[in-house]
Amino acid sequence: MAEPGGPDPAVSELQRLVAAEQQRAQFTAQVHNFMDVCWDKCVDKPGSKLDSRTESCLASCVERFIDTTLSITNRFAQIVQKGGH
């Protein structure tokens, strides 16, 4: 039971779970978005197999997406750290 005037542990846990679920949903949406972008950019006509050019294009597209996401994440972390001091 929470102390009078203190945070309720059940509410804190619920908030943590909701935040984790929101992050998971955002990640899933990002993955779907980059899959759509890379598919539209790289796949001319779907077939039973991907040719080497399409495979290479998809791999490069995904790598660029990951690199860009990491750069943006690192930049936001730097901004938060500077703002916290």
Side-chain angles (χ1 to χ4, degrees):
M1 188 144 232
E3 296 179 23
D8 184 343
V11 171
S12 296
E13 178 65 9
L14 181 59
Q15 288 172 336
R16 187 189 67 73
L17 291 172
V18 167
E21 191 58 36
Q22 286 174 331
Q23 287 178 336
R24 189 178 0 256
Q26 287 174 338
F27 175 76
T28 300
Q30 281 184 320
V31 168
H32 285 230
N33 182 47
F34 93 79
M35 286 175 60
D36 285 344
V37 169
C38 292
W39 183 267
D40 290 345
K41 176 179 175 25
C42 297
V43 179
D44 295 327
K45 50 187 173 197
S48 60
K49 287 185 170 183
L50 297 176
D51 61 27
S52 61
R53 184 197 70 78
T54 303
E55 281 187 39
S56 177
C57 180
L58 287 169
S60 295
C61 184
V62 170
E63 287 171 9
R64 282 194 310 272
F65 174 81
I66 291 170
D67 289 344
T68 301
T69 301
L70 289 174
S71 294
I72 291 169
T73 302
N74 289 336
R75 183 64 182 130
F76 280 139
Q78 290 172 353
I79 291 169
V80 168
Q81 285 178 344
K82 286 180 182 179
H85 289 128

